Structures are given as C-alpha cells and as structure tokens.
Amino acid sequence: MAQPPVEFSPIKLGLPMGVMESEVLSLMNAADLRVDRLTPHYAIVDDPRISDGIFSEPRDLWTMVAQGELDAALVPFDDVAEEMRKRPVIKQIHIEPLSGELLFIANQKSWQERSQEMTDLLMLLRGAIEARGRVLLVLNVAEENLQEVLKLLPALRSPTVSPLAEPHLFSVMSVVPRDEVNRLIPELLRVGATDIIELPISKLIRSGGKD
C-alpha cells in the first residue's frame, strides 16, 4: 500500500540581500530549492517545507528571527553575526553552521515546533555544500587489478565494489575531489581500470539526521 504524503508545517525563510545574496541563491539552487523572486523582498521557494522566502539585510534577518517574524534565515558569518551573537536576542536564536561563510539561524520556538522541516532543510543545504568540488568516478576492473585500483581511490568511507555478470570483473564507484580527477584517471588506466566514467554530484548526504 502506498504511503500517504508527508505533511509539513512550512517555515518562513529569510534570505540575505547584499554581498552573500548570489552565493545563497546559488546554494539554494544546488540544493534543488529553486527561488522564484516575485519582488525585491519576496520570493516563493519550490519546496513544501518553505512557505515564503523573505529577502532583507542580514542585520534585519537576525532581528526578525529573534522576534519570530521569520522561522529561520540564512545569514553571512561576518562582523554583523559576531555582533548579534553578543546581544541578549541570541537567547531566542538557534544557530547551525553551514559553511565557513554562512550560518543557518532559527527562532528557538520554531526550531522546536518545526524540527522535521528544519532538519530536512539543513540536510539538503549541507548535502549541496558537501558535493561542491566532488565528482563520482565509475569504472570497471579485472579482479587481478582490483587492489591496485582501490589503493589509488580516495573515498568518504571506502569505494563501492560490485561484481559484474562477466566472471572476475568488477564495477567500482568512488567519490573523489574534482581537482584530483585529471591526475587520477591516467593512473587508474595504468593499473588496469577500464571504462572510466566521471559524473557530477548535486548533493552528498552523509546521514539522515543532524551531524
């Protein structure tokens, strides 16, 4: 029997205007959270977990989240962030680092009441960030050369190795840094890898919950 669709309690999400605006929009797009901007300050986000996207200056986003006008916001990790973290309003705000330049901040009450939506959104955004600069390599290799190939491949845990229909032949998949690919491919070919495919990665989800 098909499972009923999950019902969400959508969040109102703040998005920064200014220096980090294009970076945040690029991240949202990479996470498949497409932002359709209708006015300079208002947008619709293509995801059922988000009711509205509100653009404002980062300092205003901190205040709006603290007061509950916004459930959450993406803000730069900058001098404004450092200043706001020293103020009493910080008691009303839950902070999650996204990257060295970006924070996810949430109203404490909203963080508790909409924990599923918040966790899902963080997972998607972090997955898009993790995928940056990485690609998926898929290749075939004979059993006799398998160990030499595996020695060359970096991976989050270990490469995925699957036997193929043809005896003594394996398929290997590994997530690798993009800037290492051009060095790796010739080395892999020299130790016996064949049919190498390089694929882009849009998201890299390490687990189903918060880190």
Side-chain angles (χ1 to χ4, degrees):
M1 181 181 295
Q3 295 293 322
V6 177
E7 293 187 4
F8 296 111
S9 180
I11 65 175
K12 183 176 288 188
L13 181 68
L15 300 168
M17 301 177 78
V19 176
M20 291 295 291
E21 184 173 334
S22 60
E23 171 68 15
V24 167
L25 290 176
S26 176
L27 174 60
M28 294 285 286
N29 186 60
D32 296 316
L33 301 166
R34 187 174 62 85
V35 178
D36 185 8
R37 198 164 186 169
L38 303 181
T39 73
H41 292 276
Y42 181 78
I44 295 173
V45 180
D46 188 17
D47 190 275
R49 284 162 284 236
I50 303 172
S51 62
D52 303 283
I54 305 299
F55 284 88
S56 192
E57 295 297 327
R59 185 184 300 273
D60 296 332
L61 292 177
W62 281 91
T63 301
M64 294 166 76
V65 168
Q67 294 177 349
E69 297 174 42
L70 294 174
D71 296 302
L74 300 178
V75 295
F77 190 9
D78 57 8
D79 292 342
V80 171
E82 290 293 346
E83 178 188 341
M84 297 302 292
R85 290 170 72 178
K86 297 175 184 177
R87 294 188 175 187
V89 295
I90 197 63
K91 296 178 181 179
Q92 307 300 323
I93 298 175
H94 179 90
I95 301 175
E96 290 279 340
L98 275 177
S99 69
E101 299 180 331
L102 203 60
L103 299 173
F104 180 92
I105 61 173
N107 177 271
Q108 287 283 11
K109 183 178 179 181
S110 297
W111 178 258
Q112 296 171 4
E113 294 179 347
R114 295 173 171 84
S115 60
Q116 177 182 343
E117 291 78 9
M118 299 281 190
T119 301
D120 286 357
L121 184 56
L122 276 169
M123 179 181 67
L124 295 173
L125 293 169
R126 285 176 171 154
I129 291 171
E130 284 280 347
R132 289 175 172 175
R134 300 178 189 263
V135 297
L136 179 67
L137 282 187
V138 183
L139 58 88
N140 294 336
V141 62
E143 184 175 10
E144 62 196 59
N145 299 319
L146 179 59
Q147 292 306 314
E148 291 301 314
V149 164
L150 294 180
K151 289 178 183 178
L152 292 174
L153 289 174
L156 294 177
R157 300 187 188 276
S158 62
T160 300
V161 180
S162 304
L164 299 177
E166 184 176 338
H168 309 295
L169 191 63
F170 293 85
S171 173
V172 178
M173 294 189 297
S174 182
V175 176
V176 303
R178 185 186 299 276
D179 58 9
E180 294 185 19
V181 167
N182 287 345
R183 176 188 61 81
L184 272 174
I185 289 177
E187 292 183 3
L188 290 167
L189 290 171
R190 281 193 285 270
V191 298
T194 63
D195 308 315
I196 299 175
I197 301 173
E198 177 186 338
L199 299 171
I201 301 173
S202 59
K203 296 188 191 74
L204 187 61
I205 309 297
R206 291 179 180 270
S207 67
K210 294 190 292 183
D211 293 343

Short mmCIF file of all heavy atoms in Angstrom, two decimals, residues 98-148:
data_model
loop_
_atom_site.label_atom_id
_atom_site.label_comp_id
_atom_site.label_asym_id
_atom_site.label_seq_id
_atom_site.Cartn_x
_atom_site.Cartn_y
_atom_site.Cartn_z
N LEU A 98 26.73 26.38 8.50
CA LEU A 98 26.58 25.71 7.21
C LEU A 98 27.92 25.59 6.50
O LEU A 98 28.23 24.57 5.90
CB LEU A 98 25.59 26.47 6.32
CG LEU A 98 24.12 26.16 6.50
CD1 LEU A 98 23.28 27.05 5.59
CD2 LEU A 98 23.81 24.70 6.25
N SER A 99 28.67 26.66 6.53
CA SER A 99 30.00 26.67 5.92
C SER A 99 30.82 27.73 6.64
O SER A 99 30.35 28.35 7.60
CB SER A 99 29.90 27.00 4.42
OG SER A 99 29.49 28.34 4.24
N GLY A 100 32.05 27.95 6.19
CA GLY A 100 32.86 28.97 6.82
C GLY A 100 32.33 30.37 6.63
O GLY A 100 32.71 31.29 7.35
N GLU A 101 31.42 30.55 5.68
CA GLU A 101 30.90 31.88 5.36
C GLU A 101 29.41 32.04 5.64
O GLU A 101 28.88 33.13 5.50
CB GLU A 101 31.14 32.20 3.88
CG GLU A 101 32.61 32.22 3.48
CD GLU A 101 32.79 32.53 2.02
OE1 GLU A 101 31.88 32.18 1.23
OE2 GLU A 101 33.80 33.13 1.66
N LEU A 102 28.73 30.97 6.04
CA LEU A 102 27.28 31.01 6.10
C LEU A 102 26.76 30.29 7.34
O LEU A 102 27.26 29.23 7.72
CB LEU A 102 26.71 30.34 4.84
CG LEU A 102 25.30 30.70 4.39
CD1 LEU A 102 25.19 32.19 4.10
CD2 LEU A 102 24.95 29.89 3.14
N LEU A 103 25.72 30.90 7.96
CA LEU A 103 25.05 30.32 9.11
C LEU A 103 23.57 30.10 8.80
O LEU A 103 22.97 30.86 8.05
CB LEU A 103 25.16 31.25 10.33
CG LEU A 103 26.54 31.58 10.87
CD1 LEU A 103 26.42 32.64 11.96
CD2 LEU A 103 27.24 30.34 11.39
N PHE A 104 23.00 29.08 9.40
CA PHE A 104 21.56 28.86 9.40
C PHE A 104 21.09 29.21 10.80
O PHE A 104 21.51 28.60 11.77
CB PHE A 104 21.24 27.40 9.07
CG PHE A 104 19.77 27.08 9.06
CD1 PHE A 104 19.04 27.17 7.88
CD2 PHE A 104 19.13 26.67 10.22
CE1 PHE A 104 17.69 26.86 7.86
CE2 PHE A 104 17.77 26.36 10.21
CZ PHE A 104 17.05 26.45 9.03
N ILE A 105 20.23 30.22 10.92
CA ILE A 105 19.72 30.63 12.23
C ILE A 105 18.22 30.39 12.27
O ILE A 105 17.53 30.53 11.26
CB ILE A 105 20.05 32.10 12.56
CG1 ILE A 105 19.41 33.06 11.55
CG2 ILE A 105 21.57 32.30 12.62
CD1 ILE A 105 19.57 34.54 11.93
N ALA A 106 17.73 29.99 13.43
CA ALA A 106 16.31 29.68 13.57
C ALA A 106 15.79 30.24 14.89
O ALA A 106 16.50 30.27 15.91
CB ALA A 106 16.08 28.17 13.52
N ASN A 107 14.55 30.68 14.88
CA ASN A 107 13.86 31.06 16.10
C ASN A 107 13.76 29.81 16.99
O ASN A 107 13.42 28.73 16.52
CB ASN A 107 12.47 31.60 15.77
CG ASN A 107 11.67 31.94 16.99
OD1 ASN A 107 10.96 31.10 17.52
ND2 ASN A 107 11.77 33.18 17.44
N GLN A 108 14.08 29.96 18.27
CA GLN A 108 14.12 28.80 19.16
C GLN A 108 12.79 28.05 19.20
O GLN A 108 12.75 26.81 19.16
CB GLN A 108 14.50 29.25 20.58
CG GLN A 108 15.95 29.64 20.76
CD GLN A 108 16.88 28.43 20.85
OE1 GLN A 108 16.50 27.30 20.57
NE2 GLN A 108 18.12 28.69 21.23
N LYS A 109 11.69 28.79 19.25
CA LYS A 109 10.39 28.13 19.29
C LYS A 109 10.11 27.41 17.98
O LYS A 109 9.64 26.25 17.98
CB LYS A 109 9.29 29.17 19.55
CG LYS A 109 7.90 28.57 19.68
CD LYS A 109 6.86 29.64 19.98
CE LYS A 109 5.47 29.03 20.07
NZ LYS A 109 4.43 30.06 20.34
N SER A 110 10.42 28.05 16.86
CA SER A 110 10.22 27.40 15.55
C SER A 110 11.10 26.18 15.41
O SER A 110 10.70 25.17 14.82
CB SER A 110 10.51 28.40 14.42
OG SER A 110 9.62 29.48 14.45
N TRP A 111 12.33 26.27 15.94
CA TRP A 111 13.25 25.13 15.86
C TRP A 111 12.66 23.91 16.56
O TRP A 111 12.81 22.78 16.10
CB TRP A 111 14.59 25.53 16.48
CG TRP A 111 15.60 24.43 16.52
CD1 TRP A 111 15.95 23.66 17.58
CD2 TRP A 111 16.41 23.98 15.42
NE1 TRP A 111 16.91 22.76 17.23
CE2 TRP A 111 17.23 22.93 15.91
CE3 TRP A 111 16.53 24.37 14.09
CZ2 TRP A 111 18.14 22.26 15.10
CZ3 TRP A 111 17.45 23.70 13.28
CH2 TRP A 111 18.23 22.66 13.78
N GLN A 112 11.97 24.13 17.65
CA GLN A 112 11.35 23.03 18.38
C GLN A 112 10.07 22.54 17.70
O GLN A 112 9.83 21.33 17.62
CB GLN A 112 11.06 23.46 19.82
CG GLN A 112 12.32 23.78 20.62
CD GLN A 112 12.01 24.40 21.97
OE1 GLN A 112 10.84 24.55 22.36
NE2 GLN A 112 13.05 24.80 22.69
N GLU A 113 9.26 23.47 17.22
CA GLU A 113 7.96 23.09 16.66
C GLU A 113 8.05 22.55 15.24
O GLU A 113 7.18 21.80 14.80
CB GLU A 113 7.02 24.30 16.68
CG GLU A 113 6.65 24.77 18.08
CD GLU A 113 5.76 25.98 18.06
OE1 GLU A 113 5.63 26.62 16.98
OE2 GLU A 113 5.18 26.31 19.13
N ARG A 114 9.10 22.96 14.51
CA ARG A 114 9.25 22.52 13.12
C ARG A 114 10.59 21.81 12.93
O ARG A 114 11.30 22.03 11.96
CB ARG A 114 9.15 23.73 12.18
CG ARG A 114 7.78 24.40 12.20
CD ARG A 114 7.79 25.68 11.37
NE ARG A 114 6.46 26.23 11.20
CZ ARG A 114 5.85 27.02 12.09
NH1 ARG A 114 6.47 27.34 13.22
NH2 ARG A 114 4.63 27.48 11.87
N SER A 115 10.89 20.92 13.85
CA SER A 115 12.20 20.26 13.83
C SER A 115 12.40 19.43 12.57
O SER A 115 13.51 19.39 12.02
CB SER A 115 12.37 19.39 15.07
OG SER A 115 11.37 18.39 15.14
N GLN A 116 11.33 18.77 12.09
CA GLN A 116 11.48 17.95 10.88
C GLN A 116 11.82 18.81 9.68
O GLN A 116 12.74 18.51 8.91
CB GLN A 116 10.20 17.16 10.61
CG GLN A 116 10.29 16.34 9.31
CD GLN A 116 9.01 15.59 9.01
OE1 GLN A 116 8.17 15.40 9.88
NE2 GLN A 116 8.87 15.15 7.77
N GLU A 117 11.07 19.90 9.52
CA GLU A 117 11.31 20.78 8.38
C GLU A 117 12.71 21.40 8.44
O GLU A 117 13.42 21.49 7.43
CB GLU A 117 10.25 21.88 8.33
CG GLU A 117 8.85 21.41 7.98
CD GLU A 117 8.11 20.76 9.15
OE1 GLU A 117 8.63 20.83 10.30
OE2 GLU A 117 7.05 20.19 8.93
N MET A 118 13.11 21.84 9.64
CA MET A 118 14.42 22.45 9.80
C MET A 118 15.53 21.45 9.50
O MET A 118 16.50 21.76 8.80
CB MET A 118 14.58 22.98 11.24
CG MET A 118 13.58 24.04 11.64
SD MET A 118 13.99 25.68 11.00
CE MET A 118 12.81 26.68 11.91
N THR A 119 15.39 20.24 10.05
CA THR A 119 16.42 19.22 9.85
C THR A 119 16.52 18.82 8.38
O THR A 119 17.62 18.66 7.84
CB THR A 119 16.11 17.98 10.71
OG1 THR A 119 16.07 18.35 12.08
CG2 THR A 119 17.19 16.91 10.52
N ASP A 120 15.37 18.68 7.74
CA ASP A 120 15.37 18.35 6.30
C ASP A 120 16.07 19.43 5.49
O ASP A 120 16.88 19.14 4.60
CB ASP A 120 13.94 18.20 5.79
CG ASP A 120 13.28 16.91 6.25
OD1 ASP A 120 13.95 16.10 6.91
OD2 ASP A 120 12.09 16.71 5.94
N LEU A 121 15.74 20.67 5.78
CA LEU A 121 16.32 21.79 5.03
C LEU A 121 17.84 21.85 5.24
O LEU A 121 18.60 22.03 4.28
CB LEU A 121 15.66 23.10 5.47
CG LEU A 121 16.08 24.36 4.71
CD1 LEU A 121 15.87 24.20 3.22
CD2 LEU A 121 15.33 25.57 5.24
N LEU A 122 18.28 21.68 6.47
CA LEU A 122 19.72 21.66 6.76
C LEU A 122 20.41 20.52 6.01
O LEU A 122 21.51 20.68 5.48
CB LEU A 122 19.95 21.53 8.25
CG LEU A 122 19.90 22.81 9.07
CD1 LEU A 122 19.87 22.49 10.57
CD2 LEU A 122 21.11 23.69 8.76
N MET A 123 19.77 19.36 5.99
CA MET A 123 20.35 18.21 5.30
C MET A 123 20.54 18.49 3.81
O MET A 123 21.59 18.19 3.23
CB MET A 123 19.46 16.98 5.49
CG MET A 123 19.98 15.73 4.77
SD MET A 123 18.87 14.32 4.99
CE MET A 123 17.42 14.89 4.07
N LEU A 124 19.55 19.11 3.19
CA LEU A 124 19.64 19.42 1.76
C LEU A 124 20.72 20.46 1.47
O LEU A 124 21.50 20.33 0.52
CB LEU A 124 18.28 19.91 1.25
CG LEU A 124 17.14 18.88 1.28
CD1 LEU A 124 15.82 19.55 0.92
CD2 LEU A 124 17.43 17.72 0.35
N LEU A 125 20.77 21.49 2.31
CA LEU A 125 21.77 22.54 2.11
C LEU A 125 23.18 22.01 2.35
O LEU A 125 24.10 22.28 1.57
CB LEU A 125 21.48 23.71 3.04
CG LEU A 125 20.20 24.50 2.73
CD1 LEU A 125 19.89 25.46 3.88
CD2 LEU A 125 20.33 25.28 1.43
N ARG A 126 23.34 21.23 3.42
CA ARG A 126 24.67 20.66 3.69
C ARG A 126 25.07 19.66 2.62
O ARG A 126 26.25 19.54 2.27
CB ARG A 126 24.66 20.00 5.07
CG ARG A 126 24.70 21.02 6.21
CD ARG A 126 24.59 20.35 7.56
NE ARG A 126 24.84 21.33 8.63
CZ ARG A 126 24.36 21.22 9.86
NH1 ARG A 126 23.59 20.19 10.18
NH2 ARG A 126 24.64 22.13 10.77
N GLY A 127 24.08 18.93 2.09
CA GLY A 127 24.38 17.99 1.01
C GLY A 127 24.91 18.69 -0.22
O GLY A 127 25.84 18.21 -0.89
N ALA A 128 24.31 19.84 -0.54
CA ALA A 128 24.79 20.61 -1.69
C ALA A 128 26.19 21.17 -1.45
O ALA A 128 27.02 21.20 -2.36
CB ALA A 128 23.81 21.74 -2.00
N ILE A 129 26.45 21.62 -0.22
CA ILE A 129 27.77 22.13 0.11
C ILE A 129 28.81 21.02 0.06
O ILE A 129 29.91 21.18 -0.49
CB ILE A 129 27.76 22.80 1.51
CG1 ILE A 129 26.93 24.09 1.46
CG2 ILE A 129 29.17 23.10 1.98
CD1 ILE A 129 26.67 24.71 2.81
N GLU A 130 28.47 19.85 0.61
CA GLU A 130 29.40 18.72 0.59
C GLU A 130 29.75 18.28 -0.82
O GLU A 130 30.86 17.82 -1.09
CB GLU A 130 28.78 17.53 1.34
CG GLU A 130 28.79 17.66 2.84
CD GLU A 130 30.15 17.32 3.44
OE1 GLU A 130 30.99 16.75 2.73
OE2 GLU A 130 30.35 17.64 4.62
N ALA A 131 28.79 18.42 -1.74
CA ALA A 131 29.00 17.96 -3.11
C ALA A 131 29.91 18.89 -3.91
O ALA A 131 30.45 18.48 -4.95
CB ALA A 131 27.66 17.81 -3.83
N ARG A 132 30.07 20.11 -3.45
CA ARG A 132 30.90 21.05 -4.20
C ARG A 132 32.33 20.54 -4.30
O ARG A 132 32.93 20.09 -3.33
CB ARG A 132 30.91 22.41 -3.50
CG ARG A 132 29.59 23.16 -3.62
CD ARG A 132 29.65 24.45 -2.81
NE ARG A 132 28.47 25.28 -3.04
CZ ARG A 132 28.22 26.40 -2.40
NH1 ARG A 132 29.09 26.85 -1.50
NH2 ARG A 132 27.13 27.10 -2.65
N GLY A 133 32.85 20.59 -5.51
CA GLY A 133 34.24 20.18 -5.69
C GLY A 133 34.45 18.68 -5.68
O GLY A 133 35.58 18.21 -5.57
N ARG A 134 33.36 17.91 -5.78
CA ARG A 134 33.48 16.45 -5.81
C ARG A 134 32.77 15.88 -7.04
O ARG A 134 31.79 16.46 -7.52
CB ARG A 134 32.88 15.81 -4.55
CG ARG A 134 33.55 16.25 -3.25
CD ARG A 134 32.85 15.60 -2.07
NE ARG A 134 33.28 16.14 -0.80
CZ ARG A 134 34.21 15.59 -0.02
NH1 ARG A 134 34.83 14.48 -0.44
NH2 ARG A 134 34.55 16.12 1.12
N VAL A 135 33.25 14.75 -7.50
CA VAL A 135 32.62 14.04 -8.60
C VAL A 135 32.57 12.55 -8.25
O VAL A 135 33.26 12.09 -7.33
CB VAL A 135 33.37 14.23 -9.93
CG1 VAL A 135 33.36 15.69 -10.36
CG2 VAL A 135 34.80 13.70 -9.84
N LEU A 136 31.76 11.82 -8.99
CA LEU A 136 31.68 10.37 -8.82
C LEU A 136 32.40 9.70 -9.98
O LEU A 136 32.10 9.96 -11.15
CB LEU A 136 30.21 9.93 -8.80
CG LEU A 136 29.98 8.42 -8.66
CD1 LEU A 136 30.44 7.93 -7.28
CD2 LEU A 136 28.51 8.08 -8.88
N LEU A 137 33.37 8.85 -9.66
CA LEU A 137 34.05 8.05 -10.67
C LEU A 137 33.49 6.64 -10.66
O LEU A 137 33.35 6.02 -9.59
CB LEU A 137 35.56 7.99 -10.41
CG LEU A 137 36.42 9.19 -10.80
CD1 LEU A 137 37.90 8.85 -10.61
CD2 LEU A 137 36.16 9.61 -12.24
N VAL A 138 33.13 6.15 -11.83
CA VAL A 138 32.66 4.78 -12.00
C VAL A 138 33.58 4.11 -13.01
O VAL A 138 33.86 4.68 -14.08
CB VAL A 138 31.20 4.73 -12.51
CG1 VAL A 138 30.72 3.29 -12.61
CG2 VAL A 138 30.29 5.54 -11.60
N LEU A 139 34.05 2.92 -12.70
CA LEU A 139 34.97 2.23 -13.61
C LEU A 139 34.83 0.72 -13.48
O LEU A 139 34.23 0.22 -12.53
CB LEU A 139 36.42 2.66 -13.29
CG LEU A 139 36.92 2.41 -11.87
CD1 LEU A 139 37.54 1.02 -11.71
CD2 LEU A 139 37.91 3.48 -11.46
N ASN A 140 35.37 0.02 -14.45
CA ASN A 140 35.44 -1.44 -14.42
C ASN A 140 36.89 -1.86 -14.24
O ASN A 140 37.81 -1.18 -14.70
CB ASN A 140 34.88 -2.05 -15.70
CG ASN A 140 33.39 -1.80 -15.85
OD1 ASN A 140 32.68 -1.57 -14.87
ND2 ASN A 140 32.90 -1.83 -17.08
N VAL A 141 37.07 -3.01 -13.61
CA VAL A 141 38.42 -3.52 -13.41
C VAL A 141 38.39 -5.03 -13.22
O VAL A 141 37.47 -5.57 -12.61
CB VAL A 141 39.09 -2.84 -12.19
CG1 VAL A 141 38.35 -3.13 -10.90
CG2 VAL A 141 40.55 -3.26 -12.07
N ALA A 142 39.39 -5.71 -13.76
CA ALA A 142 39.52 -7.15 -13.57
C ALA A 142 39.94 -7.45 -12.13
O ALA A 142 40.61 -6.64 -11.48
CB ALA A 142 40.53 -7.72 -14.55
N GLU A 143 39.56 -8.61 -11.65
CA GLU A 143 39.85 -8.99 -10.27
C GLU A 143 41.35 -8.90 -9.95
O GLU A 143 41.73 -8.47 -8.86
CB GLU A 143 39.35 -10.41 -10.02
CG GLU A 143 39.52 -10.88 -8.59
CD GLU A 143 38.90 -12.24 -8.35
OE1 GLU A 143 38.52 -12.91 -9.34
OE2 GLU A 143 38.81 -12.65 -7.18
N GLU A 144 42.18 -9.28 -10.91
CA GLU A 144 43.62 -9.28 -10.67
C GLU A 144 44.19 -7.87 -10.45
O GLU A 144 45.27 -7.72 -9.86
CB GLU A 144 44.34 -9.93 -11.85
CG GLU A 144 44.13 -9.17 -13.15
CD GLU A 144 44.50 -10.01 -14.37
OE1 GLU A 144 43.90 -11.08 -14.55
OE2 GLU A 144 45.38 -9.56 -15.11
N ASN A 145 43.47 -6.85 -10.91
CA ASN A 145 43.95 -5.46 -10.76
C ASN A 145 43.16 -4.66 -9.72
O ASN A 145 43.45 -3.48 -9.51
CB ASN A 145 43.86 -4.74 -12.11
CG ASN A 145 44.73 -5.38 -13.17
OD1 ASN A 145 45.85 -5.80 -12.89
ND2 ASN A 145 44.21 -5.49 -14.39
N LEU A 146 42.18 -5.32 -9.09
CA LEU A 146 41.26 -4.59 -8.20
C LEU A 146 41.98 -3.89 -7.05
O LEU A 146 41.72 -2.72 -6.77
CB LEU A 146 40.21 -5.57 -7.66
CG LEU A 146 39.18 -4.98 -6.68
CD1 LEU A 146 38.40 -3.84 -7.33
CD2 LEU A 146 38.23 -6.07 -6.18
N GLN A 147 42.86 -4.57 -6.37
CA GLN A 147 43.50 -3.98 -5.21
C GLN A 147 44.37 -2.78 -5.58
O GLN A 147 44.44 -1.80 -4.82
CB GLN A 147 44.34 -5.04 -4.48
CG GLN A 147 43.50 -6.13 -3.81
CD GLN A 147 42.44 -5.55 -2.88
OE1 GLN A 147 42.73 -4.66 -2.07
NE2 GLN A 147 41.20 -6.05 -3.00
N GLU A 148 45.04 -2.83 -6.73
CA GLU A 148 45.85 -1.71 -7.17
C GLU A 148 44.98 -0.48 -7.45
O GLU A 148 45.36 0.66 -7.15
CB GLU A 148 46.66 -2.09 -8.41
CG GLU A 148 47.76 -3.10 -8.15
CD GLU A 148 48.76 -2.59 -7.12
OE1 GLU A 148 49.19 -1.42 -7.24
OE2 GLU A 148 49.08 -3.34 -6.19
#
